[in-house]
Amino acid sequence: MIASSTLPAPRMILKHLLRQVLMIAVCLFPIVADSSFGGEPPSVPLLWRTAPPVNPSDQPLPPKKPSILREREIVFDELLVKILKDAAARPLPPMAVELFDAGRYELDVVSTLARINDTSFIRGQLKPQDSGEFSLVLNGATVTGTVQLGRRVFKIEPLGNGRHRLIEIDPEQESKE
């Protein structure tokens, strides 16, 4: 091949080499970006989050029983609750829960039973596998449920006005009550 350019040969070689390197860099960027930027996979959205504090005189928490180890007010993600209740919305998008110091777990829905009165019964397991199980009853915007994580038991109770309470129960104390 005869070069028709007025560039000297070493400069043409350098230009060709630079194009090749840029082409490789463009092809590899998506792979490198996934593994190096952020270092972690994108976060799975939470089914609930800690509720912002309210004026204590507006909404007092129910009295604490001896079987309650810890509690906090939570607010459910309305969109995720709506998707959970919709029997046609399968496969479900990933969603997770945080259980105090027990950590963050992704939900794996095993069964859903929807009733015509806007009530749905959801059962499933926590991922990673064999971590635990959960059951939820969704009625309108109200959620009641139980999460079992080994010997630890967590309950969800509605408080009203879209707020709920996540409770960790001491199973030994609860059996005495």
Side-chain angles (χ1 to χ4, degrees):
M1 176 176 156
I2 300 175
S4 61
S5 173
T6 58
L7 294 175
R11 192 163 180 169
M12 281 184 55
I13 293 171
L14 185 61
K15 186 176 178 182
H16 178 73
L17 186 60
L18 184 60
R19 282 185 184 158
Q20 295 298 321
V21 169
L22 283 174
M23 183 70 78
I24 292 171
V26 167
C27 292
L28 290 177
F29 181 75
I31 297 168
V32 172
D34 281 347
S35 63
S36 65
F37 294 124
E40 294 180 12
S43 181
V44 174
L46 290 172
L47 181 58
W48 66 70
R49 67 186 190 303
T50 301
V54 295
N55 186 347
S57 63
D58 291 345
Q59 189 176 25
L61 281 175
K64 189 172 178 178
K65 298 176 185 174
S67 62
I68 296 176
L69 295 174
R70 66 188 102 205
E71 63 185 317
R72 74 170 181 232
E73 283 191 46
I74 58 173
V75 177
F76 280 85
D77 181 309
E78 292 177 26
L79 179 61
L80 291 178
V81 169
K82 192 175 193 175
I83 291 170
L84 272 175
K85 288 170 60 174
D86 183 3
R90 301 298 182 261
L92 292 170
M95 59 185 83
V97 295
E98 285 185 345
L99 302 169
F100 301 105
D101 65 346
R104 184 180 183 128
Y105 296 88
E106 196 169 327
L107 301 180
D108 181 18
V109 174
V110 174
S111 72
T112 303
L113 177 62
R115 300 286 184 191
I116 199 155
N117 67 351
D118 199 27
T119 301
S120 295
F121 303 90
I122 314 292
R123 284 186 331 100
Q125 298 175 332
L126 301 176
K127 291 187 208 174
Q129 294 300 70
D130 300 326
S131 295
E133 57 189 27
F134 68 92
S135 61
L136 302 172
V137 178
L138 306 137
N139 188 348
T142 302
V143 180
T144 306
T146 304
V147 179
Q148 183 90 30
L149 184 64
R151 292 189 32 80
R152 295 176 79 174
V153 178
F154 303 88
K155 292 190 177 183
I156 300 162
E157 297 178 345
L159 294 173
N161 297 327
R163 297 171 85 84
H164 293 76
R165 178 168 73 153
L166 175 64
I167 305 166
E168 183 173 2
I169 301 293
D170 181 351
E172 293 174 14
Q173 286 291 330
E174 187 179 39
S175 63
K176 295 177 185 176
E177 291 179 359

